[in-house]
Amino acid sequence: MGLLSDPNRRRALISLLTRLNAPICVVCYMAGVAWFMGLAFEPFTLRTYMSENAMGSTMVEERFPAGERALATGREFAAHKKKAGGMPVDWLVKTMQSHGLEVFTQRFSRTLPFPDENKERYMVKGTNVYGILRAPRASRTEALVLSAPCTPGDNNNQAVGLLLGLAQYFRSQVFWAKDIIFLVNEHDLIGMQAWLEGYHHTNTTGMDWSPLQGRGGSIQAALSLELSSDVITSLDLVLEGLNGQLPNLDLVNLFYAFCQKIGVLCTTQGKLQRNDWDSVSGYSHAVQTMMLMVMKQASGRSWGDHGLFLRYHIEAATIKGINSFRQYKTDITTIGRLMEGMYRKLNNLLERLHQSYFFYLMPSLSHFVSIGYYMPAFGLLAVILLLRALDLWVQLTAPPPRTEDGVVDPEQMSSPGVLSVLTPLVISHLTGVALYTLPIRFQEMAVEHFPVSETEAVVLTAIAVYTAGLALPHNTNRLLSGGGTEQGWKVLKLVAVLYLAVLLGCTALINFSLGFILAITLVPVAAFVTPHVPKFLSAFVMIVLSPACTLLFSVFFFQELQEMPISFLDGWMLYLSVISQGILDHCLYGSLVYPLIALLVYPCWLIFWNILFWK
Amino acid sequence: MKILTLFSLFATYSSGNSINIEENVGQFFSSGHTNNWAVLVCTSRFWFNYRHVANTLSVYRSVKRLGIPDSHIVLMLADDMACNHRNPKPATVFSHKNMELNVYGDDVEVDYRGYEVTVENFLRVLTGRLPPSTPRSKRLLSDDRSNILIYLTGHGGNGFLKFQDSEEISNVELADAFEQMWQKRRYNELLFIIDTCQGASMYERFYSPNLMALASSQVGEDSLSHQPDLAIGVHLMDRYTFYLLEFLEDIHPASKSNMNDLFKVCPKSQCVSTPGHRTDLFLRDPGSVLITDFFGSVRKIEITMETINLTDPIQQVELSPVNEELQIEKYSYADQLPVSEIIHQRVHTFVLNLDTEQKVIGNIQQQMSLCRFHVEPTFTNEHLFLLIPPFERVLGIQNTPSVLGCIPL
């Protein structure tokens, strides 16, 4: 007979499962964490390689000559920017036209739901300027984008200067098979969002923009340039986009190949690659780089202007020039040559980049871990939840113990009412909805009553709703008719564990880092909480492992990883601003982290909190 | 019996007499071909396969320079590199870096272009099974006296060649196509050159006679590309064809280089892969085969002051309608001799008409036309080899006792 249909064997298997459940869970958890840490170990990673045949091994001799002129243009741009107090639209239009591009502008405006304290803006009005270099002989079906942001102050002037210099140089070549769009966007991500929405005729975030007069066909790839100094020591590649989406690995391979060819120092996450992978410090360096990427990806923010392109299936990355205290400096002509080389390679593309991986982690710029290698780490954590669910199922379907006189205890036999299980679910989710909607909606009322600014009002309302939810179990139990039964909490926990498993699974598929971080903190909670564990200790542990505290610890951890540790007070202020940024990201660009946490993860955690205080 | 001895006496006498003319005649027919064709195919598209188009165009250029006219060349290019949007030098295809040699020129005639280069079209060109509407420039109008050069390049593997990223031709298909060509008498001799990865696998399955094959690499080896051009940004040529082109640039229509020199082109030190060749199906010794037999179209003309006796023109037997209706001949396949017999027989140029006991030699033209006549093997001689042309029924001379033979040496 089969393993599961033979009653004897099945009973043996089930007894094994129930006996060894806790130890297996612990082992799986350790194994999952160990697997994840092992991902950064160099022998377990693969070297990056170019997968796309069209961007093959041959390279062109780059001949971009006009670095100095680009710097001069950048200085002119800075002067006009200062004079105009924002984007010097007329000067940009005139310059681009003199280079022979087809120039168009786009106006946009947006009122943020509450003021953004980091960037000090509330009612945003701006203009994007873009010039299209038409391919000399090709039909206008495909395009590439090169963008540089127009930021206030002294930043990114050289980027715009280089952009204009490249535009002039590219215009004199005949081998372009795709249109190249040179975009200067104002108010970084907001302007980029307006431009992309206008280009693709979508309107997902409720922004107000004027339609685009000129278009270039479907965009195959995009690069965003951030350069704030005349010379640089290294180039940093920023990959993480909105909702943790990453560009195709071939774009990274392309960048790395050109860095090696031209001889520029290239980094990812701002960390230089090390060769001593077998030493402890080398390994920890790789782990730090990978953890930085995981943190950035989990936040769901777009860490460069390129992040918004990824949603439209356009492979994009941001290249940042970094000027640190190194001796060997690279001048702007070399950067121009690197960009020229990359664009010539992208010019050879026949179809969108699709040959290489879309899901990967990078412990360094030349090594990567693909989804097939990192998913088992999450799988091991998810197995814990399934084992727990099986255990509960077995307990629920086991025949009740008979009392001495053979009469079965009626109270234990009664199956829990649907209401007793449904009520905590509904109330938890309602709290989640409250956490999602109340902060923004009631900010005016909060400002009236308390001496805080709007941003602080929003954040503090969120924290208040979150904390109020902790008082729920007592209220829920009052609503229940009578007390909960032993069966009741088991059914509720079974439902909650499966719910968490599905939720974390789906999250990990889309944004592995977010799913994994949530799994690390929530799976122990889900596995071990019962009404019978010591209340105060477990309450404390649960709060420490709740999403809000995870976020707090992540903020401090992130600062540590970037080698800029901060004090507790500063960390707390940073934490508040992170929450406000998360809410803003959701309202402005459609980031899904805030709704996920508020509407799904937090209610799930509340259900476990309910179980803990089950009476 | 008496006739036999008489005729053998005659043979020896006349052979001794006009040995000079016979030698000349013999030399003229040493290769046995009268016209040359070339089928040059590039099977890959996309900009990064620039080198395959450059390969094919450089062979085209050599072949044209050595005398084969465009009407006798079927050029198939799967993609247009010269006018590709990514070409920094439009309307050119270079084979040497620093733009030394433009193989595109201004008189290229491409017969099959772009998506027309498919396995089906290629096989139809070879076998001649084209729809009646196909123009002449797209047909391979070869006959049994044609030497054909077939050059293939692209991406290949063990036993196949990839056409256009969507289909493949296998070595078995190719061998069968050549057999069809042999049976339809579409070639006299055929030289097959292939420059792809694992190219030797493509000629492994040949089984028709008179085929010689060269490949740029053995099974399990990759054919490598030669040099990238830093301005254009692609590899310009494959190594084997690069050195082949260099070799061919030294050949002129009167050169006497033979196939053994061609086999030496691109040794392993230059090519990295090991070029291979196959000559076991070929009748003649490769050392006696001139390069220009395949790559050029050389007409030999010899002026002689001697008079040569011509025979009476052959009386054409008219088809008389029997019972007021035309007798429709039943078509049947020509008799075939087994390959081994064909390969191992030694032959003389010997023409004899038993009826008239005359000897007919020396008239080149007539000999050529005689070659087309039916040969009924009423008389077998180990020295006579009987070749059956497709024109046997035209003249209705099936049942004559005369024996005519024309034998290529």
Side-chain angles (χ1 to χ4, degrees):
Chain A
M1 246 206 238
L3 191 65
L4 290 178
S5 41
D6 182 3
N8 287 333
R9 284 217 199 120
R10 197 189 344 194
R11 235 175 288 134
L13 206 64
I14 289 174
S15 70
L16 196 77
L17 197 66
T18 43
R19 261 184 312 122
L20 293 180
N21 205 309
I24 293 182
C25 287
V26 171
V27 165
C28 279
Y29 188 79
M30 303 299 219
V33 174
W35 189 295
F36 181 73
M37 297 306 284
L39 289 174
F41 192 50
E42 200 167 298
F44 296 160
T45 60
L46 294 167
R47 285 201 76 88
T48 54
Y49 55 93
M50 192 68 87
S51 300
E52 172 71 58
N53 273 333
M55 299 201 304
S57 56
T58 53
M59 306 253 201
V60 202
E61 194 187 346
E62 297 85 16
R63 295 213 186 101
F64 178 68
E68 293 304 315
R69 211 182 323 156
L71 287 178
T73 317
R75 283 190 281 271
E76 246 188 85
F77 173 71
H80 280 92
K81 186 166 69 169
K82 199 181 282 183
K83 199 161 66 168
M87 175 88 112
V89 178
D90 296 325
W91 178 84
L92 264 177
V93 168
K94 202 161 50 82
T95 318
M96 280 192 184
Q97 270 174 348
S98 71
H99 290 329
L101 309 177
E102 291 178 18
V103 191
F104 306 96
T105 60
Q106 180 199 29
R107 307 183 71 79
F108 61 91
S109 72
R110 173 86 205 221
T111 307
L112 273 58
F114 55 89
D116 183 354
E117 277 180 2
N118 283 12
K119 299 208 176 103
E120 287 162 14
R121 53 191 184 196
Y122 180 47
M123 297 197 355
V124 172
K125 254 200 254 287
T127 319
N128 291 329
V129 179
Y130 63 105
I132 307 182
L133 186 153
R134 297 288 181 194
R137 292 173 279 148
S139 53
R140 302 169 176 190
T141 48
E142 291 174 347
L144 298 169
V145 174
L146 177 61
S147 82
C150 169
T151 44
D154 261 338
N155 298 326
N156 287 325
N157 296 328
Q158 286 84 353
V160 175
L162 183 59
L163 181 132
L164 293 171
L166 283 172
Q168 189 173 22
Y169 178 67
F170 285 178
R171 183 71 180 84
S172 61
Q173 312 295 327
V174 295
F175 47 70
W176 297 111
K178 302 184 205 290
D179 295 345
I180 305 187
I181 302 178
F182 295 91
L183 169 68
V184 181
N185 54 320
E186 198 174 0
H187 298 300
D188 48 87
L189 283 170
I190 300 182
M192 188 60 90
Q193 179 72 17
W195 190 81
L196 280 171
E197 282 187 355
Y199 198 89
H200 293 98
H201 306 295
T202 60
N203 198 333
T204 51
T205 58
M207 209 185 294
D208 191 23
W209 37 262
S210 67
L212 294 184
Q213 303 296 318
R215 239 182 141 265
S218 95
I219 303 177
Q220 305 287 297
L223 286 176
S224 180
L225 201 54
E226 287 180 22
L227 199 58
S228 302
S229 55
D230 282 357
V231 286
I232 58 159
T233 52
S234 63
L235 282 175
D236 191 43
L237 187 69
V238 183
L239 295 170
E240 299 81 13
L242 197 67
N243 291 328
Q245 203 174 352
L246 298 169
N248 196 297
L249 192 61
D250 265 337
L251 205 57
V252 179
N253 301 334
L254 183 67
F255 178 73
Y256 184 62
F258 272 96
C259 284
Q260 293 212 297
K261 182 187 179 207
I262 300 218
V264 183
L265 213 57
C266 286
T267 61
T268 181
Q269 320 299 339
K271 284 198 184 289
L272 200 56
Q273 195 175 339
R274 281 168 65 147
N275 286 334
D276 53 344
W277 53 265
D278 44 357
S279 70
V280 173
S281 57
Y283 170 69
S284 79
H285 186 89
V287 167
Q288 277 176 40
T289 316
M290 196 178 76
M291 284 311 293
L292 270 171
M293 181 170 180
V294 164
M295 294 270 127
K296 285 188 179 173
Q297 200 185 7
S299 71
R301 285 191 65 207
S302 169
W303 289 82
D305 283 355
H306 70 285
L308 300 173
F309 280 95
L310 296 170
R311 205 183 353 205
Y312 298 93
H313 203 84
I314 300 170
E315 310 309 326
T318 299
I319 299 180
K320 276 163 64 165
I322 297 181
N323 193 10
S324 65
F325 303 106
R326 233 175 258 275
Q327 233 182 357
Y328 188 73
K329 308 261 184 202
T330 313
D331 67 341
I332 207 165
T333 313
T334 318
I335 306 176
R337 293 224 172 116
L338 190 134
M339 302 301 293
E340 179 198 350
M342 284 185 77
Y343 270 87
R344 273 203 83 166
K345 271 291 161 95
L346 290 172
N347 184 38
N348 284 350
L349 280 178
L350 298 149
E351 26 184 23
R352 288 179 193 275
L353 289 168
H354 68 282
Q355 299 278 8
S356 192
Y357 298 94
F358 287 100
F359 296 97
Y360 50 90
L361 290 176
M362 305 202 68
S364 74
L365 197 56
S366 62
H367 287 84
F368 75 100
V369 181
S370 72
I371 186 171
Y373 284 96
Y374 68 57
M375 249 335 169
F378 176 79
L380 285 166
L381 295 180
V383 154
I384 298 174
L385 293 174
L386 293 176
L387 283 174
R388 274 282 164 224
L390 271 174
D391 184 34
L392 283 167
W393 177 255
V394 161
Q395 284 179 26
L396 282 172
T397 53
R402 296 181 173 273
T403 55
E404 275 185 5
D405 51 2
V407 173
V408 177
D409 195 353
E411 200 176 284
Q412 287 195 328
M413 272 286 285
S414 67
S415 55
V418 177
L419 208 60
S420 74
V421 171
L422 209 55
T423 318
L425 273 176
V426 168
I427 293 189
S428 307
H429 281 89
L430 283 178
T431 319
V433 170
L435 181 59
Y436 179 67
T437 53
L438 287 186
I440 299 178
R441 208 167 279 246
F442 292 128
Q443 57 174 315
E444 297 103 27
M445 200 152 45
V447 169
E448 268 177 60
H449 292 292
F450 299 98
V452 288
S453 66
E454 283 98 338
T455 321
E456 286 173 4
V458 168
V459 175
L460 292 173
T461 316
I463 296 182
V465 172
Y466 189 92
T467 327
L470 296 179
L472 268 182
H474 313 284
N475 302 326
T476 323
N477 281 338
R478 233 180 279 150
L479 273 178
L480 281 177
S481 49
T485 60
E486 186 72 11
Q487 294 271 39
W489 74 260
K490 283 194 183 160
V491 172
L492 185 61
K493 186 172 175 192
L494 178 62
V495 169
V497 158
L498 288 176
Y499 179 41
L500 185 67
V502 168
L503 184 64
L504 288 180
C506 295
T507 311
L509 278 177
I510 300 173
N511 187 344
F512 167 75
S513 311
L514 183 63
F516 191 74
I517 291 178
L518 287 174
I520 283 194
T521 53
L522 290 177
V523 162
V525 161
F528 287 108
V529 77
T530 63
H532 305 301
V533 293
K535 292 259 197 264
F536 284 121
L537 183 63
S538 356
F540 177 70
V541 167
M542 268 199 80
I543 292 182
V544 162
L545 290 176
S546 73
C549 285
T550 314
L551 186 58
L552 183 63
F553 293 139
S554 310
V555 167
F556 283 103
F557 187 50
F558 186 64
Q559 289 298 120
E560 277 288 331
L561 283 175
Q562 285 191 314
E563 288 163 21
M564 294 191 298
I566 48 176
S567 65
F568 182 72
L569 209 58
D570 286 333
W572 177 257
M573 299 308 291
L574 190 59
Y575 172 66
L576 295 180
S577 79
V578 163
I579 298 182
S580 72
Q581 285 293 314
I583 301 177
L584 266 181
D585 273 352
H586 169 63
C587 297
L588 287 176
Y589 321 120
S591 158
L592 292 173
V593 175
Y594 178 63
L596 179 79
I597 305 272
L599 292 173
L600 293 172
V601 174
Y602 176 62
C604 200
W605 182 86
L606 271 184
I607 296 175
F608 288 111
W609 183 255
N610 247 314
I611 295 174
L612 180 62
F613 288 103
W614 190 268
K615 260 204 271 291
Chain B
M1 200 53 203
K2 224 199 271 182
I3 299 174
L4 253 172
T5 46
L6 258 178
F7 122 73
S8 53
L9 277 175
F10 252 120
T12 44
Y13 167 66
S14 51
S15 65
N17 209 0
S18 9
I19 195 101
N20 282 333
I21 293 187
E22 210 175 304
E23 226 179 78
N24 291 343
V25 166
Q27 261 182 7
F28 285 167
F29 286 96
S30 63
S31 63
H33 76 283
T34 58
N35 55 72
N36 285 84
W37 285 81
V39 178
L40 311 173
V41 183
C42 159
T43 60
S44 36
R45 53 173 39 239
F46 305 139
W47 173 245
F48 54 89
N49 289 323
Y50 184 101
R51 58 187 187 280
H52 297 140
V53 172
N55 287 351
T56 318
L57 283 174
S58 34
V59 176
Y60 171 80
R61 175 202 149 77
S62 307
V63 148
K64 242 173 101 155
R65 186 176 53 83
L66 290 171
I68 304 186
D70 272 314
S71 54
H72 282 227
I73 303 179
V74 178
L75 179 61
M76 305 170 83
L77 296 179
D79 201 2
D80 178 13
M81 296 305 166
C83 298
N84 194 309
H85 307 312
R86 297 168 180 82
N87 195 344
K89 302 278 171 202
T92 58
V93 174
F94 291 107
S95 63
H96 287 61
K97 68 173 180 213
N98 299 325
M99 300 174 222
E100 282 168 18
L101 183 58
N102 174 16
V103 289
Y104 200 65
D106 38 8
D107 57 348
V108 168
E109 263 186 43
V110 182
D111 301 305
Y112 285 83
R113 63 197 64 183
Y115 287 109
E116 290 171 359
V117 177
T118 58
V119 173
E120 181 188 344
N121 281 350
F122 176 59
L123 292 177
R124 279 184 186 279
V125 162
L126 286 183
T127 55
R129 295 179 198 278
L130 288 161
S133 56
T134 319
R136 284 180 73 92
S137 61
K138 285 187 161 171
R139 289 177 186 264
L140 178 67
L141 297 164
S142 57
D143 51 40
D144 62 320
R145 286 274 152 251
S146 309
N147 274 10
I148 308 185
L149 165 72
I150 296 189
Y151 177 81
L152 291 175
T153 182
H155 288 290
N158 192 353
F160 67 92
L161 171 64
K162 182 174 84 154
F163 266 69
Q164 298 245 28
D165 228 29
S166 58
E167 48 180 4
E168 303 160 348
I169 186 173
S170 64
N171 50 2
V172 176
E173 266 183 307
L174 196 58
D176 286 343
F178 287 157
E179 175 64 13
Q180 274 195 57
M181 285 174 81
W182 171 252
Q183 294 199 0
K184 294 171 76 165
R185 297 292 177 265
R186 281 169 68 74
Y187 70 90
N188 174 37
E189 285 167 352
L190 196 143
L191 176 64
F192 175 77
I193 304 184
I194 184 161
D195 188 350
T196 66
C197 301
Q198 308 194 51
S201 62
M202 288 307 280
Y203 61 63
E204 270 171 3
R205 300 294 197 115
F206 290 171
Y207 55 95
S208 318
N210 276 342
L211 294 178
M212 183 162 9
L214 281 109
S216 60
S217 57
Q218 301 294 329
V219 174
E221 286 179 347
D222 283 340
S223 285
L224 301 176
S225 49
H226 190 237
Q227 44 181 224
D229 181 291
L230 295 175
I232 302 181
V234 283
H235 283 290
L236 293 180
M237 282 270 268
D238 279 328
R239 281 176 188 250
Y240 182 75
T241 313
F242 182 81
Y243 290 108
L244 181 68
L245 176 65
E246 233 176 52
F247 172 76
L248 288 175
E249 290 284 303
D250 289 333
I251 307 282
H252 53 88
S255 87
K256 295 284 172 204
S257 321
N258 55 42
M259 281 295 159
N260 284 335
D261 300 326
L262 190 61
F263 295 155
K264 293 202 200 86
V265 162
C266 210
K268 187 156 178 158
S269 55
Q270 282 176 331
C271 253
V272 185
S273 58
T274 321
H277 54 89
R278 178 178 180 177
T279 51
D280 55 313
L281 292 167
F282 205 73
L283 281 176
R284 297 192 282 151
D285 170 39
S288 67
V289 178
L290 299 178
I291 301 282
T292 49
D293 279 353
F294 288 103
F295 282 91
S297 178
V298 177
R299 297 265 177 272
K300 285 217 181 118
I301 300 175
E302 185 89 22
I303 303 182
T304 171
M305 302 306 261
E306 300 185 15
T307 48
I308 297 163
N309 284 330
L310 303 175
T311 48
D312 296 330
I314 302 287
Q315 298 293 330
Q316 227 190 34
V317 173
E318 283 176 9
L319 282 169
S320 48
V322 174
N323 299 337
E324 301 282 313
E325 20 177 312
L326 268 170
Q327 241 178 357
I328 297 171
E329 306 261 356
K330 236 183 121 196
Y331 290 107
S332 62
Y333 281 114
D335 291 341
Q336 315 263 327
L337 279 180
V339 173
S340 52
E341 281 201 39
I342 296 172
I343 289 177
H344 296 304
Q345 281 192 345
R346 286 258 158 269
V347 292
H348 292 300
T349 42
F350 217 3
V351 175
L352 200 54
N353 186 327
L354 277 179
D355 278 347
T356 58
E357 286 185 27
Q358 267 183 4
K359 250 190 299 221
V360 180
I361 36 168
N363 184 322
I364 302 159
Q365 186 67 29
Q366 195 147 23
Q367 186 156 28
M368 277 173 57
S369 57
L370 284 174
C371 287
R372 298 181 182 291
F373 285 13
H374 160 71
V375 183
E376 167 100 319
T378 55
F379 175 94
T380 52
N381 180 329
E382 70 231 52
H383 295 299
L384 275 179
F385 169 83
L386 308 171
L387 189 68
I388 302 105
F391 298 97
E392 56 181 309
R393 283 169 306 283
V394 173
L395 304 167
I397 49 171
Q398 275 179 0
N399 296 314
T400 57
S402 51
V403 176
L404 306 167
C406 42
I407 309 94
L409 260 172

